[in-house]
Amino acid sequence: MAVFYPEARRGTTPSVAIASGPQVFIYRNLRPYYKFTLPELHVEAREAAAWGAAATGGSPAVELRAKLAEAREAGVALSLQSRELLAIDDPNVAEAFVEAHKGEVIVRSAVPPSFFSLGRSCVFLARPA
């Protein structure tokens, strides 16, 4: 959550920005004013290929988890769906999770971890580079 002044003068009513998942909601005068949705991020080819193999029935949940764990350790940023699968310890629950989600489109959402307001009169903005 961040409070900011949308106009250059400070005499105006402040707005409130609240981040929730990939959305940022802006409220003015305690009313919803604007909703901004962050664009989806690119899903890595290794992750998409692993889920594609599971969807065609080529690999069980154990193999899918191994491929996803290998991709994660190689530095690949995984989607929420893949991270949830890797968090499951029980093989039966993991198999049920794969069966329930193998036909879904893999989406990697951008989530703002934190944000702050930056005034227009900041000194480092006025200086030339």
Side-chain angles (χ1 to χ4, degrees):
M1 184 167 90
V3 177
F4 66 97
Y5 291 91
E7 284 85 25
R9 338 185 300 266
R10 288 268 181 181
T12 61
T13 306
S15 293
V16 177
I18 299 173
S20 175
Q23 281 98 19
V24 177
F25 301 97
I26 298 179
Y27 292 87
R28 262 188 160 167
N29 298 323
L30 300 176
R31 293 193 176 128
Y33 179 71
Y34 186 73
K35 174 184 159 187
F36 178 75
T37 302
L38 298 172
E40 294 175 354
L41 299 173
H42 172 71
V43 176
E44 295 290 332
R46 292 171 80 175
E47 180 181 9
W51 278 101
T56 59
S59 64
V62 176
E63 290 180 23
L64 176 60
R65 287 181 51 149
K67 289 177 185 177
L68 292 175
E70 180 183 307
R72 180 181 59 187
E73 291 187 11
V76 174
L78 298 176
S79 65
L80 178 62
Q81 178 178 330
S82 297
R83 286 181 284 156
E84 285 180 354
L85 176 62
L86 290 175
I88 298 172
D89 292 329
D90 185 13
N92 295 329
V93 175
E95 192 68 45
F97 183 87
V98 170
E99 286 298 318
H101 292 88
K102 68 181 181 182
E104 294 179 4
V105 176
I106 302 171
V107 177
R108 200 171 133 237
S109 299
V111 178
S114 63
F115 58 91
F116 62 94
S117 60
L118 190 62
R120 293 182 187 175
S121 62
C122 288
V123 176
F124 62 90
L125 288 178
R127 292 183 187 163

